[in-house]
Amino acid sequence: MKLAKESTSESHMKVLHVFKTYLPDSMGGIQQCILQMSQATAKLGIDNHVLSLSPNPQTGYDPGTHSVTQCKTTLEFASTPVSLEAVSTFRRLAAEADLIHYHFPYPFADLLHFLGQHNKPTLVTYHSDVVKQKYLLKAYQPLMHRFLQSVDRIVATSPNYVVSSQVLQRFRDKVDVVPIGLDPRSYPSVSINNVSKWQRRFGRRFFLFVGVLRYYKGLETLLEAAEHSRLPIVIAGDGPLGESIREKAQQARLHNVHFLGHVSENEKVELLQACYAVVFPSDERSEAFGISLLEGAMHQKPLISCEIGTGTSYVNKLHETGLTVPPKSPLKLAAAMELLWEHEEYAERMGCNAYQRFTELFTAEKMADSYFHIYQTLLNSPETAAAGV
């Protein structure tokens, strides 16, 4: 069902984004990327429309700079929502669009691509390999390879992921790299008093983890590191592992670890401004980029992450913007935290470097310019002209 009106302003092109969930239902890394992308490219005259699924499609949601259509989920299998209604809706929206922009991984979008029977230019932002469903991946691979072969361009979010992904190496001749970018102006402004309240509560210096508490976030490693270092750590966010992680911290009597649960956007910004450093121990390739790291860099904070061959080590450069450690290594994670804690000048320099790297590589404006160029290239290609698009 349609949730927001089409833009009435003149636009150069209409882009249809396709992903399994979107605002207002969820706000993970991919949803944040689509939001930032849609907001930034709207300034370049692009009319963005997002097609997603929802168990309870809502009415009245208007993100302002783009429009959203939600189709009712018919069933969900292996974290993949499916909708019978979406097939006809996709065909209609694809017919109205100039270009289709898929966000991978979402196997049902692969099916929509072929069932939609459109001849529009296509690209895929390849956010992550399929990591968790290893056995189902074998059954899905033929469709996945056919889908990725059929689209016109594939966009990875970091050069690191291109090098380390066997799937992307298979299609290397049509892969571009466009890092995820953020617009600081899209974040709420907060008062210094609200920032100070967190420091009064947790101390002038504390480490901050922000994110959904999922299996690949390395939270068990973080708790073990907390036990070794006894440094103050604030965990903001909730998720599938929330209850078990809190129980483990309680059993280990980790009074230096503070769980806040879900926080608002205002509270998140306050915490990012108040914290000493951002710690991000994700240990699986499901963590393909790490927007929380990017948010830390945007707020001039030194960063700690794990080297997992993904974009996290593109955002966080060792000894330039912070420290990287091997995954699932609590002693080395604790040592990295202690190094930053004991060397404030070094930590401050890393934070300044992180912000400089953010402004050079990771702004929403730079991301929008890169996608706009790719869109134009696809729309002006001889193949597009021959198809009569």
Side-chain angles (χ1 to χ4, degrees):
M1 76 188 296
K2 189 72 173 294
L3 297 184
K5 294 181 179 179
E6 298 272 354
S7 171
T8 57
S9 61
E10 184 178 359
S11 59
H12 299 294
M13 66 185 81
K14 294 182 178 181
V15 175
L16 174 63
H17 296 267
V18 181
F19 190 57
K20 60 183 179 180
T21 58
Y22 191 59
L23 282 70
D25 287 3
S26 59
M27 189 53 166
I30 296 178
Q31 292 84 359
Q32 172 79 318
C33 177
I34 296 171
L35 175 65
Q36 293 280 338
M37 190 184 302
S38 298
Q39 291 175 335
T41 56
K43 299 175 183 177
L44 301 177
I46 294 178
D47 180 4
N48 293 284
H49 195 120
V50 181
L51 173 62
S52 66
L53 273 59
S54 173
N56 298 295
Q58 300 186 34
T59 60
Y61 174 69
D62 184 359
T65 56
H66 56 290
S67 50
V68 177
T69 295
Q70 287 185 326
C71 291
K72 186 172 180 60
T73 301
T74 304
L75 60 90
E76 184 167 328
F77 176 73
S79 301
T80 300
V82 174
S83 168
L84 297 177
E85 172 192 345
V87 177
S88 59
T89 302
F90 174 74
R91 286 178 179 172
R92 174 176 59 82
L93 294 177
E96 298 170 358
D98 297 310
L99 184 146
I100 315 298
H101 189 154
Y102 301 102
H103 294 266
F104 183 97
Y106 179 31
F108 183 59
D110 303 15
L111 288 174
L112 287 178
H113 173 69
F114 294 112
L115 295 173
Q117 300 177 333
H118 65 81
N119 61 347
K120 302 300 174 74
T122 52
L123 79 154
V124 173
T125 295
Y126 191 98
H127 293 276
S128 170
D129 293 333
V130 176
V131 178
K132 189 176 182 181
Q133 287 87 7
K134 294 180 180 179
Y135 296 107
L136 290 175
L137 175 60
K138 293 182 179 179
Y140 167 53
Q141 272 182 336
L143 173 62
M144 177 184 75
H145 288 153
R146 185 185 170 201
F147 169 67
L148 293 173
Q149 183 64 51
S150 70
V151 297
D152 297 307
R153 298 300 297 173
I154 300 171
V155 177
T157 56
S158 72
N160 304 50
Y161 217 88
V162 177
V163 171
S164 62
S165 169
Q166 293 182 1
V167 176
L168 289 179
Q169 285 297 312
R170 182 186 180 112
F171 301 100
R172 186 68 185 89
D173 60 333
K174 61 176 179 180
V175 174
D176 295 313
V177 174
V178 179
I180 295 173
L182 303 178
D183 182 358
R185 295 167 296 183
S186 68
Y187 287 75
S189 299
V190 296
S191 71
I192 188 64
N193 289 335
N194 286 343
V195 172
S196 298
K197 76 178 181 183
W198 298 109
Q199 294 179 332
R200 290 193 297 271
R201 181 174 173 182
F202 302 122
R204 182 179 68 86
R205 296 191 295 165
F206 60 87
F207 291 89
L208 176 67
F209 169 90
V210 180
V212 180
L213 310 188
R214 301 187 189 278
Y215 76 96
Y216 58 82
K217 293 294 185 178
L219 293 160
E220 291 87 354
T221 301
L222 182 58
L223 292 188
E224 290 185 51
E227 190 170 4
H228 288 294
S229 70
R230 291 294 166 178
L231 294 172
I233 300 171
V234 173
I235 297 178
D238 212 338
L241 293 186
E243 184 176 351
S244 64
I245 290 297
R246 285 189 289 269
E247 287 179 358
K248 288 181 180 180
Q250 187 175 15
Q251 291 170 1
R253 298 181 180 179
L254 296 178
H255 303 300
N256 55 318
V257 179
H258 310 277
F259 292 90
L260 298 182
H262 174 76
V263 296
S264 67
E265 279 295 297
N266 281 61
E267 290 171 327
K268 182 177 74 172
V269 172
E270 292 165 4
L271 287 162
L272 284 165
Q273 291 188 18
C275 74
Y276 181 64
V278 168
V279 59
F280 198 73
S282 294
D283 52 20
E284 299 282 354
R285 287 182 56 78
S286 300
E287 192 68 78
F289 194 81
I291 286 184
S292 293
L293 283 174
L294 211 55
E295 292 174 328
M298 187 173 70
H299 286 88
Q300 303 186 46
K301 302 299 177 179
L303 311 171
I304 299 177
S305 59
C306 294
E307 178 52 73
I308 51 177
T310 72
T312 61
S313 296
Y314 187 60
V315 177
N316 181 24
K317 300 279 286 184
L318 178 62
H319 295 312
E320 179 181 332
T321 61
L323 300 171
T324 60
V325 299
K328 305 181 190 297
S329 301
L331 290 177
K332 292 186 177 180
L333 179 59
M337 294 169 63
E338 289 166 355
L339 191 154
L340 288 184
W341 190 266
E342 294 168 3
H343 299 86
E344 287 194 59
E345 289 186 5
Y346 174 80
E348 184 178 356
R349 186 166 73 251
M350 294 299 100
C352 291
N353 291 346
Y355 178 72
Q356 182 176 351
R357 186 169 174 79
F358 169 80
T359 58
E360 291 174 354
L361 297 174
F362 302 117
T363 64
E365 183 178 8
K366 293 181 183 299
M367 176 177 65
D369 288 341
S370 296
Y371 273 108
F372 185 76
H373 175 72
I374 294 172
Y375 291 163
Q376 285 187 315
T377 300
L378 290 176
L379 287 170
N380 295 329
S381 69
E383 292 83 1
T384 301
V389 179

